Amino acid sequence: PCPGLLQVVKQCVRVPVFVMIRPRGGDFLYSDREVEVMKADIRLAKLHGADGLVFGALTEDGRIDTELCTALLAVCRPLPVTFHRAFDMVHDPLVALETLISLGFERVLTSGCDSSALEGLSLIKRLAEQGFFPPGGGITERNLQRILEGSTASEFHCSARSARDSGMKFRNPNVAMGASFSAPEYSIKVADVAKVRTLNAIAKNIL
């Protein structure tokens, strides 16, 4: 998020706010310039009240980039840090887990190295025995109970979004502002309050 978004979110919510540090979409192999951006974003997030940071970085052969992670963790101190779903792209998740624990990450978001947390449930349960692994990826009201019960997790990660139609009345059908496969300009993805409340109610009945 930009600093303005972080400031407004901090004014509106009482829960801890962890900021994701991700300079671009795509893979998790970062250039030197991208690393500079990540460090600058961490400093800005801390300055504007972030309660924790979230990032992930891999080497070209699918291992945890320990050198980069160590450097970024140093900039994050003293805030807690979560390793995000870059974990799902590692070559060997059990080796990666040991690396992340030794580096000092407090949480790891994961879908169990599968297409969703439901499909990766067996690995998530295995990993949870050794660390704090909130499941994430494809979690909805329909599968949350099964995922929480099957993983023994006490936290979970989901987008809980829905599409909202734009308020624009004039629309130019001949121009697209993004890539051809991106969401249309006149549909906005927003956090869905009803979904969040439903998911929270399901979790409270289980945890």
Side-chain angles (χ1 to χ4, degrees), residues 180-194:
S180 58
F181 296 109
S182 64
E185 274 70 38
Y186 302 109
S187 178
I188 305 165
K189 290 284 190 179
V190 296
D192 188 318
V193 174

Side-chain angles (χ1 to χ4, degrees), residues 41-52:
D41 281 342
I42 290 169
R43 294 186 187 101
L44 282 170
K46 290 172 69 176
L47 182 65
H48 292 286
D51 298 294

Side-chain angles (χ1 to χ4, degrees), residues 125-178:
K125 185 174 182 180
R126 214 170 137 198
L127 295 169
E129 296 170 357
Q130 302 180 62
F132 199 19
F133 279 75
I139 291 180
T140 68
E141 310 94 301
R142 295 182 297 279
N143 60 27
L144 177 60
Q145 180 172 345
R146 184 174 166 191
I147 289 169
L148 290 180
E149 291 176 345
S151 66
T152 68
S154 59
E155 292 183 2
F156 62 96
H157 169 70
C158 66
S159 61
R161 291 182 299 181
S162 61
R164 184 181 72 197
D165 193 45
S166 166
M168 287 292 296
K169 296 195 183 314
F170 172 76
R171 303 184 179 191
N172 185 347
N174 301 316
V175 179
M177 291 292 135

Side-chain angles (χ1 to χ4, degrees), residues 8-78:
V8 173
V9 169
K10 287 289 293 182
Q11 292 166 8
C12 295
V13 304
R14 293 185 177 87
V15 296
V17 177
F18 279 47
V19 172
M20 184 176 291
I21 304 300
R22 183 141 157 72
R24 57 164 172 78
D27 63 35
F28 305 100
L29 181 66
Y30 295 113
S31 69
D32 291 343
R33 287 297 189 199
E34 288 168 337
V35 171
E36 289 180 32
V37 172
M38 294 171 82
K39 289 179 178 179
D41 281 342
I42 290 169
R43 294 186 187 101
L44 282 170
K46 290 172 69 176
L47 182 65
H48 292 286
D51 298 294
L53 287 310
V54 184
F55 67 81
L58 305 178
T59 61
E60 62 182 12
D61 59 350
R63 304 178 194 280
I64 304 297
D65 189 334
T66 54
E67 183 178 350
L68 176 51
C69 285
T70 298
L72 294 177
L73 283 164
V75 184
C76 292
R77 289 193 188 101

